[in-house]
Amino acid sequence: IKYTDQSGVEYTLDADLYEVDTLSLVGRVVLAPDQSWPSVDLRSVNGICIRFVCGYGDDAAAVPEGPKLAMKMVIGHWRRNPEAVLVGSISKEVEFAVRALLSPDEVMRV
């Protein structure tokens, strides 16, 4: 996490000041116990920048087969049907298959 003051000076926030909640449906950064946020006047636009890295890493073999197959199905559909496609006009068979392949990785609110 980096932040920039009104003078344009960029700082890196000490990781001991905050905790990252990765289990909630929407991730968040919260203040660590007994810590306080820096007292600084932030730049009015883009005063805080959070770099978030996600995914399966650089190894394509680590990506589950379901999402890979879903991408191949959609790409194949587009290749066979190159005409302009209206939003929501993908065939129902492809749509249902893609949803079924992606649903195990879907985050759901309980």
Side-chain angles (χ1 to χ4, degrees):
I1 298 176
K2 295 186 179 196
Y3 60 98
T4 306
D5 67 17
Q6 288 185 349
S7 303
V9 178
E10 183 180 85
Y11 303 90
T12 299
L13 189 62
D14 186 339
D16 292 336
L17 294 178
Y18 62 91
E19 296 176 357
V20 179
D21 174 4
T22 59
L23 299 179
S24 296
L25 183 62
V26 177
R28 60 192 178 134
V29 174
V30 296
L31 195 59
D34 301 323
Q35 298 295 331
S36 59
W37 297 114
S39 177
V40 62
D41 289 329
L42 294 174
R43 183 170 60 182
S44 59
V45 177
N46 300 322
I48 299 174
C49 178
I50 299 175
R51 182 171 180 253
F52 173 72
V53 179
C54 65
Y56 295 100
D58 295 333
D59 184 10
V63 179
E65 288 302 314
K68 286 196 261 188
L69 185 54
M71 289 188 304
K72 290 176 183 177
M73 290 180 74
V74 171
I75 293 166
H77 173 77
W78 288 340
R79 186 163 187 230
R80 287 187 304 277
N81 302 284
E83 65 277 356
V85 178
L86 298 174
V87 174
S89 68
I90 192 167
S91 77
K92 287 297 177 191
E93 292 82 10
V94 172
E95 179 183 346
F96 290 143
V98 168
R99 285 185 188 273
L101 289 166
L102 296 178
S103 64
D105 297 312
E106 185 177 348
V107 175
M108 301 181 75
R109 185 182 303 264
V110 218

